[in-house]
Amino acid sequence: MNSDFSALRDALSTPAGKTWVFTGDSITHGLLHTQGQRSYTEHLHELIRGDLERTDDIVINSAISGWRLVQILDDFERRVAMWRPDIVALMIGTNDCSTGGVFPVIEPDAFRGSLRKFVRRVRERGALPVLQTQPGIDIANAPERARIGEFAQAVRDIAAEEGVVLVDHYARYGEFGDGGAAGGLLNDPFHPNAAGHAMLALEFATTVELPAHLPTMRHLEERVDARQRSEGRV
């Protein structure tokens, strides 16, 4: 257990209100692809402020669809700092890994450097960073994002080097898809559907060791189990 994990557990065990900021790209933004159902940050909001009864906590989602990490760094004051957060959770990389579109191609080493900069800026503000790997995608139908595994590994690398709490969605999606595309969790080749967001929330909550008996935890588990059964994976 690293010191960040201990600090996160301490934050959740004390009554003083905490401010959580979730930032990233369209997956965290959570629009359209849940088709009117909850995104993973909304599930986590219910877990934190509902099930845990941490009503003094504030949960903010500052993600923007289509963004890359360099844009978040350029707009760090608005995306992160102005909210004076205690915990900052970042999920980014699905756009960064793309070799298509109008943006310059980003190499994994440059992405690592940006991640390191992000983590250190969060710490400079006195907040606790949490890094999340990207969920897996359907590479056959999104070949421009075929490097996503390299970018997920970059997130793991920086989390290990900087002692950051890591939520490894990419690994969990891979388990669901038997190493291939987790099609039952996607609304298109790379955006999670409502079940996919349930899995994201469950993986985050499980990683930070929220109690399994919480009503929303049980609901998320049932949602993921139902999707696995419908895909013939159990």
Side-chain angles (χ1 to χ4, degrees):
M1 180 184 298
N2 65 30
S3 58
D4 272 17
F5 190 88
S6 297
L8 183 56
R9 296 302 305 144
D10 289 345
L12 286 166
S13 65
T14 58
K18 302 298 180 186
T19 298
W20 303 67
V21 170
F22 291 84
T23 196
D25 54 30
S26 58
I27 297 170
T28 298
H29 197 168
L31 303 182
L32 182 64
H33 297 282
T34 60
Q35 297 176 319
Q37 300 188 55
R38 285 181 171 174
S39 69
Y40 84 92
T41 59
E42 291 169 323
H43 288 303
L44 292 172
H45 180 277
E46 180 162 353
L47 277 164
I48 294 164
R49 301 189 71 233
D51 293 9
L52 292 177
E53 299 181 348
R54 296 187 57 83
T55 52
D56 282 342
D57 282 20
I58 302 296
V59 180
I60 295 163
N61 181 348
S62 71
I64 297 180
S65 180
W67 273 33
R68 294 178 166 196
L69 182 50
V70 290
Q71 292 168 289
I72 296 175
L73 288 171
D74 287 344
D75 197 27
F76 189 83
E77 183 66 29
R78 177 66 174 165
R79 295 303 115 209
V80 177
M82 70 170 287
W83 307 107
R84 300 172 61 189
D86 298 287
I87 300 112
V88 179
L90 172 72
M91 184 200 294
I92 201 75
T94 302
N95 296 320
D96 303 70
C97 75
S98 178
T99 56
V102 298
F103 292 107
V105 173
I106 297 171
E107 296 302 328
D109 282 346
F111 182 66
R112 284 186 185 87
S114 294
L115 282 170
R116 186 177 292 107
K117 185 181 294 186
F118 181 89
V119 166
R120 293 181 180 179
R121 282 193 189 178
V122 169
R123 292 199 194 282
E124 287 169 2
R125 297 286 179 156
L128 187 68
V130 176
L131 293 180
Q132 306 176 77
T133 58
Q134 318 85 349
I137 68 173
D138 178 3
I139 292 175
N141 290 298
E144 75 284 356
R145 287 171 167 79
R147 301 185 303 159
I148 192 167
E150 296 177 63
F151 283 70
Q153 187 57 50
V155 178
R156 296 184 190 117
D157 292 344
I158 296 304
E161 291 172 17
E162 299 289 328
V164 177
V165 174
L166 173 70
V167 182
D168 199 345
H169 299 299
Y170 190 80
R172 183 68 185 96
Y173 265 54
E175 292 170 3
F176 183 94
D178 297 327
L185 302 175
L186 299 173
N187 189 55
D188 69 7
F190 52 90
H191 287 100
N193 59 21
H197 275 269
M199 181 175 279
L200 296 176
L202 182 60
E203 188 66 19
F204 189 103
T206 300
T207 298
V208 303
E209 297 185 351
L210 296 191
H213 69 270
L214 295 175
T216 301
M217 289 287 280
R218 294 199 301 270
H219 167 74
L220 293 172
E221 289 169 354
E222 290 168 0
R223 185 69 181 274
V224 171
D225 287 346
R227 177 59 68 172
Q228 288 178 313
R229 287 194 297 274
S230 71
E231 293 287 304
R233 301 188 185 277
V234 294

